[in-house]
Amino acid sequence: MYSPTTGNKPGWPVELRPQLKSDSVDISVVQVVKDNWKKCREKNSFKKELYDDVVSDLYKPIRGALETAIGGEQERRTKTISGIKDFLKDEKKQNEIDDCIRWVILFKAVEDTSLGNAEEKGEEAVAKEAAKEGIDSERNANILITRIIIEIASHLAFDNPYRHCESALAWKKDKITSRCKYPKIHRQHKAVMKTTPFHEAAGNGNGKAVKHMIYLGAHLAADESGKPLQRESLLRVLRLPNPDPQSKKTALWLAANAEEGDLGALKALLNFDTGIADPSDGTFEDALKEGRADVVNAFLQPEKLRKVFITSKHIIQAMDPLSNAAPNSKTRQQRVDVINTLISQATTNDVINDQVVKRIVELNLKDVWAKKSPDIKLNTSGLLHLAVQHQNIDFVEMFLRDYPDSITEKKNDNYPLWHNNKILIESKISDRKTKEWREKDKIRDMIVTATIKSKKIDKMQDLLQIFQDSGQVVNELCFDLSRFNSKLYPVSDFVRSLIAHQDHADLLSYEHTIRYAEFPALDLKADTKETFGDSVRAEHTEVFEVLDWLKGKKVNEIIELTVPDRMVNPHNEVEIGRYVRNFEVEVLNWRFLDMSISIFEDPKTWDRIRELHLYSSGKRAVISHWLSKEGVSLLRNVCPTNAQASAYWALVNMVVLIKFFD
């Protein structure tokens, strides 16, 4: 940092460094700047030197003087800032400071600004209104220079001496070089400074500089009468592209792509007027393509811009690059973050339309789907078909859970399961091969199971028809012994014969979930029928043995279980509860007198059972148990099926089928 007592400021020309004594603290640093500038102009080589270098000899000591003032007392800081401003304003023309010199100093200040402090970056840099931010409180010398010069000549921020700038036409100013004392020197710099200070500040992320340029630009005179520039005219200036022919980018685009400043310049532009965010300049769309969630968030902060930029078109544009993005890559996640931002703030169906939904499912963007507002009511018809078609197992699972009825819906005359076996591209149909689609078998099992469990299908014939129409081969869908003549033959003997028959073990194959398992009445054979009062001959387990056999056949679920058990010496009650849990039974019709609800021990079973048949011997204690808090009320999804029982269960807001035993 420059010291007024030593003149030790990097960048000062050696021959022009002020020779100050250590005790010469009263000598004004502003006067040192003036004296050095005078010596520069008096040099014989002055008019022959590169203009950029000449003005650098002025810019650097100005910066040094301000840096010194920033670290000093308030009074000294104020005097220094005021003195530098008077020097650069040069109302009496004593210092030969014109717009050309001011412009180059301004450009160098903007170009050289280092945004090292938190208050110079991002939201913090632009949070305070420019009108309320006193210049004396500024701690960055280059931003101080910027503010001083644009307070003197605001239009310089938007102009360039070497390029034709449309912005100059907004306030009808002559070209800067036409008012310059040394116009010939400018010819040497046409290839050096091609942009405007405003565009340079935006590209450097200098939010404070941009903020003050805009604020003072709003006070520019539109004509000789001094009438202020209309807001729309200023917006037109702010939207103009960079005059640099190699760039031609708007300040908005440059600010969005600045490597420094934490998007402070972008926020300064958007804070001034959302009208600056003209969709035609491509800034927002480029941010979508590049996965710039920070830029997208900045655009969407103003509610007015959310209506402009949160569209189905932009969401699809943000998703398109994902088709070629490597899975689990940082780039892909950045793009997903952008999509999440758009989806989470979408509020209408015209934004999350069928095309957007299709792309989300195609790309398997499950996390994106979760971000959509629950208030948006989608057309769910065909979602499951779409998920199966694209073999996205996460969406298949989700849609089966959220839209279970869609399993039986047809779209274009096909069930969802059909798409697991066929590939439909435009109008061409081909077989889907397992070896080419690794999720096919998993999806097949999920869809088949859901179809079997569907409450929309009442008849087995309808269930079989769906599988046939979908070209799906299925294993056995039920276990039915209901037609077995148990009056003539012992059920236990048949069961043991079935289980012991291993010659063709693969002859009977079952789906993992079967629609029902139904047994014949177990007490019809006269010579084996037991009566009340008889001693127990043996514990009966034939139904349990069949269920264990089915478990060996990979059956995991039995939707409906019907067992007309013996009235005397039935199967073990506690074991019945265990099998109901293990096979995830939903409809239970097990003829067991005075069954206790306590055999269903876990909450999952309580929630799963939706129909329960109870058989009563007439004991009041049993009825009281069923009606108690520990009774049927635990089974929250039990459906009413018997009007005779409704009077009882209305007391606890529950209805259960009760068959009274005579």
Side-chain angles (χ1 to χ4, degrees):
M1 182 174 290
Y2 167 71
S3 169
T5 59
T6 64
N8 186 23
K9 171 62 192 169
W12 281 72
V14 175
E15 69 276 14
L16 298 179
R17 288 179 183 171
Q19 303 300 315
L20 303 177
K21 297 180 181 179
S22 60
D23 58 350
S24 301
V25 294
D26 293 329
I27 296 179
S28 167
V29 291
V30 177
Q31 188 59 48
V32 172
V33 170
K34 291 180 180 180
D35 292 344
N36 286 341
W37 178 236
K38 184 177 180 181
K39 290 179 181 179
C40 277
R41 301 198 313 276
E42 291 172 349
K43 290 168 55 180
N44 293 329
S45 60
F46 177 69
K47 295 182 181 180
K48 298 179 181 179
E49 292 179 357
L50 287 175
Y51 196 76
D52 187 23
D53 295 339
V54 171
V55 180
S56 291
D57 289 345
L58 178 58
Y59 156 71
K60 292 175 183 177
I62 290 175
R63 187 186 68 188
L66 291 172
E67 286 177 346
T68 301
I70 288 170
E73 299 175 353
Q74 179 63 46
E75 182 180 359
R76 191 180 190 88
R77 182 163 63 247
T78 302
K79 286 183 177 180
T80 301
I81 293 172
S82 178
I84 293 294
K85 185 174 182 180
D86 289 341
F87 167 71
L88 290 173
K89 195 171 184 180
D90 197 20
E91 288 184 327
K92 296 181 180 180
K93 309 299 182 183
Q94 295 175 341
N95 303 312
E96 296 183 315
I97 301 292
D98 58 20
D99 276 353
C100 284
I101 293 172
R102 295 187 192 101
W103 187 91
V104 176
I105 293 174
L106 172 60
F107 189 90
K108 284 191 165 294
V110 171
E111 183 183 44
D112 197 37
T113 300
S114 176
L115 305 174
N117 299 323
E119 64 270 17
E120 297 164 0
K121 299 179 180 180
E123 194 69 45
E124 193 169 345
V126 300
K128 195 171 184 179
E129 292 181 31
K132 298 178 180 179
E133 193 169 55
I135 195 168
D136 289 352
S137 63
E138 184 57 63
R139 311 297 295 177
N140 187 306
N142 279 319
I143 295 178
L144 259 177
I145 294 172
T146 300
R147 293 186 61 178
I148 288 170
I149 293 178
I150 61 177
E151 284 183 12
I152 297 170
S154 306
H155 64 280
L156 296 180
F158 309 98
D159 213 339
N160 184 297
Y162 317 109
R163 298 281 170 185
H164 171 73
C165 294
E166 290 184 51
S167 57
L169 303 178
W171 42 85
K172 300 180 180 178
K173 289 283 185 181
D174 296 331
K175 197 169 183 63
I176 296 175
T177 51
S178 67
R179 305 189 300 276
C180 180
K181 188 173 181 179
Y182 313 107
K184 294 182 180 180
I185 302 179
H186 287 284
R187 297 172 185 171
Q188 304 175 61
H189 302 279
K190 291 184 179 180
V192 179
M193 300 175 181
K194 299 178 180 180
T195 184
T196 70
F198 174 65
H199 287 91
E200 183 71 14
N204 290 338
N206 192 338
K208 271 195 173 183
V210 170
K211 174 178 71 175
H212 287 286
M213 287 175 180
I214 294 173
Y215 169 68
L216 291 168
H219 295 81
L220 283 169
D223 52 37
E224 298 300 328
S225 68
K227 183 180 178 181
L229 195 66
Q230 293 295 318
R231 191 178 188 86
E232 188 56 42
S233 296
L234 178 59
L235 276 176
R236 185 178 67 81
V237 171
L238 300 181
R239 293 194 197 110
L240 288 173
N242 191 342
D244 183 350
Q246 294 181 344
S247 171
K248 294 186 178 180
K249 298 295 186 180
T250 63
L252 192 70
W253 190 95
L254 294 169
N257 291 275
E259 296 182 0
E260 303 291 337
D262 297 341
L263 299 181
L266 177 64
K267 292 172 182 177
L269 291 165
L270 295 174
N271 287 351
F272 168 67
D273 195 311
T274 56
I276 198 171
D278 188 345
S280 64
D281 77 0
T283 301
F284 187 79
E285 292 186 359
D286 284 352
L288 295 179
K289 295 173 185 176
E290 296 299 322
R292 292 289 306 279
D294 52 348
V295 174
V296 171
N297 279 318
F299 267 86
L300 300 183
Q301 281 183 0
E303 183 177 355
K304 187 176 180 180
L305 290 185
R306 289 199 287 271
K307 295 178 181 179
V308 174
F309 289 106
I310 299 180
T311 65
S312 58
K313 173 188 173 183
H314 284 144
I315 293 174
I316 291 173
Q317 282 181 338
M319 288 192 286
D320 283 344
L322 290 179
S323 301
N324 300 318
N328 304 319
S329 66
K330 182 180 179 181
T331 301
R332 188 180 195 281
Q333 187 55 51
Q334 289 172 340
R335 299 187 191 286
V336 170
D337 291 343
V338 168
I339 302 166
N340 283 339
T341 298
L342 295 170
I343 291 288
S344 63
Q345 298 187 58
T347 57
T348 59
N349 290 70
D350 63 324
V351 175
I352 304 183
N353 57 21
D354 290 346
Q355 284 184 311
V356 171
V357 169
K358 181 180 179 182
R359 288 295 284 154
I360 291 174
V361 176
E362 285 177 355
L363 295 167
N364 201 23
L365 300 176
K366 186 175 69 169
D367 293 340
V368 170
W369 182 266
K371 292 290 183 180
K372 68 178 178 60
S373 169
D375 296 331
I376 296 179
K377 304 303 179 183
L378 299 175
N379 175 17
T380 60
S381 175
L383 289 181
L384 182 58
H385 300 70
L386 190 63
V388 177
Q389 181 181 351
H390 292 283
Q391 294 288 284
N392 287 332
I393 194 166
D394 290 335
F395 274 102
V396 171
E397 184 177 17
M398 186 190 308
F399 293 153
L400 284 173
R401 181 192 66 228
D402 295 343
Y403 316 116
D405 291 347
S406 63
I407 196 71
T408 60
E409 293 176 356
K410 278 188 172 183
K411 190 170 181 65
N412 297 327
D413 207 34
N414 294 314
Y415 293 104
L417 184 58
W418 182 88
H419 292 281
N420 199 53
N421 297 310
K422 302 292 182 180
I423 300 174
L424 176 62
I425 300 178
E426 295 178 351
S427 59
K428 295 181 179 180
I429 300 174
S430 59
D431 292 333
R432 190 186 299 276
K433 299 178 181 178
T434 302
K435 64 180 181 180
E436 297 174 2
W437 300 89
R438 58 188 179 87
E439 303 290 4
K440 182 188 176 203
D441 288 344
K442 292 180 182 179
I443 292 176
R444 179 262 183 211
D445 290 345
M446 293 169 65
I447 298 291
V448 167
T449 297
T451 307
I452 293 170
K453 296 175 74 171
S454 174
K455 299 180 182 65
K456 302 283 286 185
I457 305 173
D458 295 326
K459 301 177 181 178
M460 283 296 296
Q461 186 59 42
D462 295 337
L463 181 63
L464 292 169
Q465 189 65 51
I466 290 176
F467 292 136
Q468 182 178 336
D469 291 348
S470 301
Q472 183 63 61
V473 176
V474 293
N475 298 313
E476 296 294 330
L477 301 174
C478 61
F479 178 85
D480 194 346
L481 290 183
S482 61
R483 291 179 175 80
F484 179 78
N485 192 345
S486 58
K487 287 184 178 181
L488 298 179
Y489 307 102
V491 175
S492 57
D493 290 349
F494 177 80
V495 166
R496 292 185 180 101
S497 174
L498 173 68
I499 294 172
H501 190 70
Q502 298 295 330
D503 292 345
H504 300 284
D506 296 331
L507 187 61
L508 284 175
S509 297
Y510 292 85
E511 291 295 331
H512 298 309
T513 297
I514 60 175
R515 184 75 178 212
Y516 67 86
E518 187 170 355
F519 292 81
L522 302 181
D523 56 359
L524 294 183
K525 196 169 188 302
D527 59 349
T528 60
K529 188 171 185 177
E530 300 173 71
T531 59
F532 289 104
D534 292 347
S535 59
V536 177
R537 301 175 187 175
E539 184 175 348
H540 297 291
T541 62
E542 58 266 45
V543 173
F544 296 154
E545 291 173 29
V546 170
L547 294 177
D548 288 338
W549 178 76
L550 287 172
K551 181 65 77 172
K553 292 287 185 179
K554 309 300 183 184
V555 174
N556 299 321
E557 293 180 79
I558 300 174
I559 307 304
E560 300 181 22
L561 178 58
T562 302
V563 182
D565 208 342
R566 299 171 180 83
M567 291 298 181
V568 178
N569 192 21
H571 284 65
N572 182 279
E573 184 178 16
V574 174
E575 285 296 295
I576 291 173
R578 185 173 69 84
Y579 278 96
V580 168
R581 181 189 70 234
N582 290 346
F583 280 96
E584 301 182 16
V585 175
E586 296 180 13
V587 177
L588 178 63
N589 184 1
W590 196 306
R591 189 175 66 185
F592 188 100
L593 287 180
D594 302 334
M595 180 181 287
S596 173
I597 305 302
S598 65
I599 67 172
F600 309 124
E601 298 177 344
D602 64 302
K604 288 184 178 180
T605 301
W606 300 345
D607 291 339
R608 186 183 304 113
I609 294 177
R610 55 184 169 86
E611 186 177 319
L612 176 64
H613 296 247
L614 294 174
Y615 297 83
S616 173
S617 64
K619 294 178 182 178
R620 291 187 178 181
V622 174
I623 300 295
S624 296
H625 161 65
W626 289 346
L627 291 172
S628 70
K629 292 182 179 179
E630 290 76 29
V632 178
S633 63
L634 290 174
L635 312 179
R636 291 181 283 270
N637 294 313
V638 167
C639 300
T641 57
N642 193 318
Q644 183 182 7
S646 61
Y648 289 100
W649 306 131
L651 298 174
V652 288
N653 198 26
M654 232 4 137
V655 181
V656 183
L657 173 64
I658 299 181
K659 292 186 177 180
F660 288 97
F661 173 64
D662 294 331

